[in-house]
Amino acid sequence: MSSLSDLVNLNLSDATDKIIAEYIWVGGSGMDMRSKARTLPGPVTDPSQLPKWNYDGSSTGQAPGVDSEVILYPQAIFKDPFRRGNNILVMCDAYTPAGEPISTNKRHAAAKVFSHPDVVAEVPWYGIEQEYTLLQKDVNWPVGWPIGGYPGPQGPYYCGIGADKSFGRDIVDSHYKACIYAGITISGINGEVMPGQWEFQVGPAVGISAADEIWVARYILERITEIAGVVVSFDPKPIPGDWNGAGAHCNYSTKTMREDGGYEIIKKAIDKLGLRHKEHIAAYGEGNERRLTGRHETADINTFLWGVANRGASIRVGRDTEKEGKGYFEDRRPASNMDPYIVTSMIAETTILWNP
Amino acid sequence: MAQVLAASPTCQMRVPKHSSVITNKLWSSVVLKQKKQSNKLRGFRVVALQSDNSTINRVETLLNLDAKPYSDRIIAEYIWIGGSGIDLRSKSRTIEKPVEDPSELPKWNYDGSSTGQAPGEDSEVILYPQAIFRDPFRGGNNILVICDTYTPAGEPIPTNKRAKAAEIFSNKKVTEEVPWFGIEQEYTLLQPNVKWPLGWPVGAFPGPQGPYYCGVGADKIWGRDISDAHYKACLYAGINISGTNGEVMPGQWEFQVGPSVGIEAGDHVWCARYLLERITEQAGVVLTLDPKPIEGDWNGAGCHTNYSTKSMRDEGGFEVIKKAILNLSLRHKEHISAYGEGNERRLTGKHETASIDQFSWGVANRGCSIRVGRDTEKKGKGYLEDRRPASNMDPYIVTSLLAETTLLWEPTLEAEALAAQKLSLNV
């Protein structure tokens, strides 16, 4: 029991019933995550058992100093892979003391969409493919890249192995296990086309839980990179030039799409998305115009295009789905820094609730 | 064995050969290595030869030895506050069997002339055990004992602030109000030798404040392992720790202790500070409780004290809170002079503080001397937050002074009326 790591890994269950709850929220930039911890008298299984809390919004760009309290409403619980035992992570959203969602709280509006009876009846499933880039600390140049220079061109890196092709696997593998432990529906990982870039997938998750899980998975990822001493970037085009950007492709299906004849429903949904292309693009992440160029497996940002097995399209439908006449489709437009509450609820809104 | 003991005694973390300063990158990579190599050589910087059956492995095993199957005896670490009023000291002794209550423990003594607390020719200072906690470093039935200090004649020595606080807290008017305290201890971690904050580039500054408060990521948070280890160690020890968070200045942290009743608050905070400094000792970083460690556009470190009495927590409590604020406003100077050395460098009116000369209060206002939460205002009862104390304050003094000013002291009627007007408090 004598060293720091013994204390950090201490199993408290023999000493006390108390647990530690790490409350997590999205900060003032809409992309920075913040968290702080509190002690609770005993284990909890449901967010409704957790107390609301508050934080100093003036320190995160979310409130003025003279009226600084922002209230945290617990929304989802996950097991804490860092503290383990009965300790938990709690995903929260942020409100004024009067009970209004603050402007960076995108979950509130999404929850409204997902509780609409038409949406509930369609049981919307999401599979989100989160790409990200690992950067060396202090220089902000990708992990494994020579400082002041570039590695060999893309080709060998996608799903690659070997010390000259795969950079940062320990982070990705520990993230995978940590997410499984936490209770996140992480479905896979792979090395990406640009060296130092990786992807994990979360899903299939229903409704609002998809976005809750993505945010907590992002939090766990940044905690792990913090331990490893590298920086994680969700920028959609971290290196300009002949290098892939980073996206967050969103796979989507509803009950009727998954049933016989679903392919027609899918085509109707894609048509509706085409009619609202500009609105979606505006909500799909800052800086996406640097990524959606029409090259590097993207569709140009101003063009709406769909196709079967076509990775240069805005929407891609898998060959399986076409063959079986039912399934799902992939919206390839969202950037890696998209807010999943916005993207998932907007897709549901446009395809289920909106009519041209 | 002698060779090993001659090596650096304080560094219990493996530090790579070429560095003497723990930069952030080194710190992170070392922590990562520690987690991977749990069975191999870990901890000591060795002068002796390393080998798998070396002396080092055996020392580690002995440190973690559980003596319970072999002996009832326990080790008690007696802890006290030294001559500066902020330095903590401790030494240990064997006790025949496990104890439940401080009254079962013997008084002890130490060399006060070595801590600036007694002259050489009459150097014995007596330790009275006051509170017991479980020892997270030794485990088993071993304990930590918070003590206060007396002359052989039984008088509290000048640096003993607990004795007077205990008197105040046993006053009937105070006990029946059941005073609760929640103390938010901020602190800064420094790299050893250079005394520059942990994670900061040596000889330079990090990016301006903004991303660090409750932040995540290697470019925003430095020293989380210390905060997390401390949290669990305190829970294990039985300290009433209620939360932690990363602070606005990078390398700065906070933990909260409470709600504690009366004198307990002081005992728990001092023991938590002891655990924290033992942990930073193991990690090879330096702890500072200075209220303004870095001059300029960087937050200081405080020790905000949240306070309530039974009447404040009952229906109509908000009026009682306002009366308490009134009393506090009339004793602003007395409180400020007891709220920590160097506080004038921190209470500037900027960086979420109120200026040291001015007393102010407000709801949800972090630029005030006293802040009342929105919840308290809404429910009409609750607690107040005194934001004035510095991180190096003595919790015995601050908690007992708050109780004294609000429960035992009365202003003259004219002074009260004037103050009420000034602060727009209709009491």
Side-chain angles (χ1 to χ4, degrees):
Chain A
M1 290 255 263
S2 66
S3 75
L4 204 63
S5 58
D6 284 331
L7 287 172
V8 167
N9 294 326
L10 199 55
N11 182 349
L12 289 168
S13 326
D14 303 321
T16 174
D17 280 337
K18 293 179 175 177
I19 67 159
I20 302 173
E22 186 89 26
Y23 280 50
I24 302 166
W25 72 94
V26 179
S29 76
M31 197 60 203
D32 57 312
M33 300 204 73
R34 309 277 180 153
S35 75
K36 55 174 179 157
R38 70 185 294 180
T39 310
L40 296 172
V44 295
T45 44
D46 193 86
S48 60
Q49 302 170 273
L50 290 165
K52 293 190 171 96
W53 204 10
N54 66 73
Y55 68 93
D56 174 10
S58 68
S59 286
T60 58
Q62 292 171 301
V66 300
D67 187 9
S68 59
E69 279 173 33
V70 178
I71 317 300
L72 291 168
Y73 289 29
Q75 299 292 0
I77 292 180
F78 298 88
K79 285 164 62 95
D80 185 337
F82 306 101
R83 295 195 174 103
R84 296 185 293 282
N86 287 321
N87 304 304
I88 55 176
L89 303 175
V90 184
M91 186 65 211
C92 306
D93 60 347
Y95 294 77
T96 63
E100 295 300 310
I102 63 173
S103 55
T104 47
N105 177 352
K106 306 303 181 189
R107 190 187 194 280
H108 189 78
K112 279 218 188 87
V113 169
F114 283 117
S115 42
H116 191 289
D118 293 349
V119 174
V120 174
E122 280 287 4
V123 194
W125 285 8
Y126 296 90
I128 298 176
E129 308 170 33
Q130 174 74 66
E131 293 180 337
Y132 60 92
T133 315
L134 297 174
L135 306 176
Q136 302 172 44
K137 195 164 111 54
D138 300 335
V139 293
N140 282 350
W141 199 232
V143 156
W145 292 37
I147 308 247
Y150 294 82
Q154 295 183 152
Y157 310 110
Y158 172 72
C159 301
I161 58 171
D164 49 345
K165 282 156 279 180
S166 174
F167 311 123
R169 191 187 297 277
D170 272 359
I171 289 168
V172 187
D173 276 354
S174 47
H175 178 247
Y176 201 164
K177 283 195 173 180
C179 285
I180 292 179
Y181 177 95
I184 291 174
T185 325
I186 184 166
S187 43
I189 55 163
N190 62 273
E192 268 300 330
V193 177
M194 184 177 103
Q197 196 177 64
W198 293 85
E199 173 181 312
F200 65 89
Q201 306 97 31
V202 170
V206 182
I208 197 123
S209 68
D212 286 335
E213 293 195 4
I214 284 283
W215 274 116
V216 180
R218 285 174 175 178
Y219 174 81
I220 292 175
L221 178 60
E222 192 151 27
R223 284 287 302 271
I224 289 172
T225 56
E226 177 189 307
I227 292 173
V230 303
V231 172
V232 63
S233 169
F234 293 106
D235 187 88
K237 190 78 173 181
I239 309 291
D242 200 4
W243 303 97
N244 272 32
H249 306 158
C250 197
N251 298 278
Y252 171 70
S253 69
T254 60
K255 194 159 158 302
T256 42
M257 291 179 196
R258 298 188 286 271
E259 289 165 353
D260 287 328
Y263 196 48
E264 296 309 309
I265 312 288
I266 288 174
K267 286 201 275 192
K268 281 211 190 77
I270 294 177
D271 285 336
K272 284 205 220 173
L273 286 167
L275 291 167
R276 285 191 102 199
H277 179 69
K278 276 204 171 56
E279 287 85 342
H280 278 245
I281 282 288
Y284 274 12
E286 290 295 311
N288 215 0
E289 66 284 354
R290 289 181 281 122
R291 164 183 161 258
L292 293 180
T293 57
R295 299 170 59 213
H296 302 110
E297 300 170 284
T298 68
D300 176 79
I301 195 169
N302 299 313
T303 315
F304 183 85
L305 183 68
W306 80 275
V308 176
N310 183 351
R311 277 180 160 76
S314 318
I315 308 263
R316 165 174 153 265
V317 176
R319 288 225 175 271
D320 263 354
T321 299
E322 183 192 39
K323 200 166 76 174
E324 290 168 28
K326 58 185 175 181
Y328 66 95
F329 66 81
E330 177 193 15
D331 189 342
R332 295 174 63 77
R333 298 171 293 172
S336 44
N337 60 355
M338 61 85 161
D339 185 327
Y341 292 125
I342 299 181
V343 170
T344 54
S345 60
M346 204 170 188
I347 293 176
E349 188 184 47
T350 299
T351 57
I352 302 173
L353 300 177
W354 182 75
N355 281 306
Chain B
M1 193 66 173
Q3 252 186 322
V4 172
L5 289 177
S8 164
T10 56
C11 207
Q12 289 194 25
M13 192 178 69
R14 174 142 72 96
V15 177
K17 287 173 292 224
H18 352 280
S19 82
S20 53
V21 168
I22 298 184
T23 61
N24 184 50
K25 184 171 180 179
L26 224 47
W27 164 244
S28 319
S29 64
V30 173
V31 171
L32 189 63
K33 282 195 187 96
Q34 259 192 326
K35 287 191 159 96
K36 284 199 227 168
Q37 297 169 22
S38 47
N39 292 329
K40 286 168 37 177
L41 176 63
R42 174 180 62 173
F44 299 82
R45 189 193 305 176
V46 294
V47 176
L49 290 167
Q50 300 178 14
S51 77
D52 280 8
N53 298 322
S54 71
T55 331
I56 314 313
N57 277 336
R58 285 191 272 154
V59 172
E60 188 78 23
T61 317
L62 288 171
L63 269 173
N64 292 332
L65 191 60
D66 178 10
K68 273 191 289 196
Y70 310 103
S71 169
D72 276 340
R73 290 174 166 163
I74 65 163
I75 304 173
E77 186 89 29
Y78 280 51
I79 300 165
W80 72 95
I81 298 163
S84 76
I86 192 83
D87 59 313
L88 281 160
R89 310 278 181 148
S90 73
K91 55 174 179 157
S92 42
R93 67 185 292 179
T94 310
I95 305 285
E96 284 308 301
K97 51 189 179 49
V99 296
E100 304 276 308
D101 193 84
S103 59
E104 299 174 71
L105 288 166
K107 293 191 171 95
W108 205 11
N109 66 73
Y110 68 94
D111 174 12
S113 69
S114 289
T115 60
Q117 292 172 300
E121 55 288 2
D122 186 9
S123 62
E124 278 175 30
V125 179
I126 317 300
L127 291 168
Y128 288 27
Q130 299 291 2
I132 292 182
F133 298 92
R134 295 169 57 181
D135 185 337
F137 307 103
R138 296 195 175 100
N141 287 322
N142 304 303
I143 55 175
L144 305 172
V145 187
I146 296 290
C147 305
D148 62 346
T149 48
Y150 295 79
T151 64
E155 295 299 312
I157 66 174
T159 47
N160 177 353
K161 307 302 181 188
R162 190 187 192 281
K164 176 147 186 289
E167 262 178 46
I168 290 176
F169 283 119
S170 37
N171 184 310
K172 192 157 161 304
K173 283 199 206 156
V174 174
T175 47
E176 57 193 23
E177 279 288 356
V178 193
W180 285 8
F181 297 95
I183 297 177
E184 308 172 31
Q185 173 76 67
E186 291 181 338
Y187 61 92
T188 314
L189 298 173
L190 305 177
Q191 303 173 42
N193 305 330
V194 291
K195 300 277 169 74
W196 200 231
L198 187 65
W200 293 36
V202 179
F205 294 83
Q209 296 183 152
Y212 311 111
Y213 170 74
C214 301
V216 176
D219 48 346
K220 282 158 275 176
I221 281 276
W222 304 317
R224 189 191 297 275
D225 271 359
I226 289 171
S227 173
D228 278 357
H230 179 247
Y231 202 163
K232 282 195 173 180
C234 285
L235 281 174
Y236 176 92
I239 289 170
N240 204 355
I241 185 167
S242 45
T244 61
N245 63 273
E247 267 300 332
V248 177
M249 183 176 106
Q252 193 176 66
W253 291 85
E254 172 180 313
F255 64 89
Q256 305 97 30
V257 173
S260 315
V261 182
I263 193 95
E264 246 180 33
D267 290 335
H268 283 229
V269 171
W270 275 113
C271 193
R273 286 175 173 179
Y274 177 80
L275 288 181
L276 181 58
E277 194 150 28
R278 282 286 303 270
I279 287 169
T280 55
E281 176 190 306
Q282 279 174 210
V285 304
V286 172
L287 171 70
T288 179
L289 295 180
D290 187 271
K292 190 79 174 182
I294 307 291
E295 291 300 316
D297 202 2
W298 303 99
N299 272 32
C303 205
H304 305 159
T305 302
N306 299 277
Y307 170 62
S308 70
T309 59
K310 192 159 160 305
S311 320
M312 292 180 195
R313 298 187 290 269
D314 285 340
E315 294 303 317
F318 198 41
E319 296 307 306
V320 182
I321 290 173
K322 288 201 272 190
K323 169 79 170 84
I325 293 177
L326 199 65
N327 281 24
L328 288 166
S329 73
L330 290 165
R331 282 189 108 198
H332 180 67
K333 280 204 170 57
E334 288 84 342
H335 278 244
I336 282 287
S337 64
Y339 274 11
E341 289 297 311
N343 214 0
E344 66 284 354
R345 290 181 280 123
R346 165 183 160 257
L347 293 180
T348 57
K350 297 167 72 205
H351 302 115
E352 299 171 285
T353 68
S355 160
I356 197 168
D357 310 306
Q358 291 192 327
F359 182 91
S360 58
W361 79 280
V363 177
N365 186 344
R366 278 177 158 82
C368 279
S369 317
I370 308 263
R371 165 174 156 263
V372 174
R374 286 227 172 271
D375 257 358
T376 297
E377 183 190 40
K378 201 166 75 172
K379 293 187 195 158
K381 58 184 176 176
Y383 64 96
L384 60 87
E385 178 194 11
D386 190 342
R387 294 175 65 80
R388 299 170 293 172
S391 42
N392 58 356
M393 61 82 149
D394 185 328
Y396 293 129
I397 298 181
V398 170
T399 55
S400 59
L401 197 54
L402 278 168
E404 187 185 61
T405 298
T406 58
L407 296 172
L408 301 176
W409 180 80
E410 269 308 315
T412 61
L413 284 171
E414 310 88 71
E416 193 173 17
L418 260 170
Q421 216 178 28
K422 207 165 94 159
L423 296 171
S424 29
L425 275 171
N426 304 324
V427 182

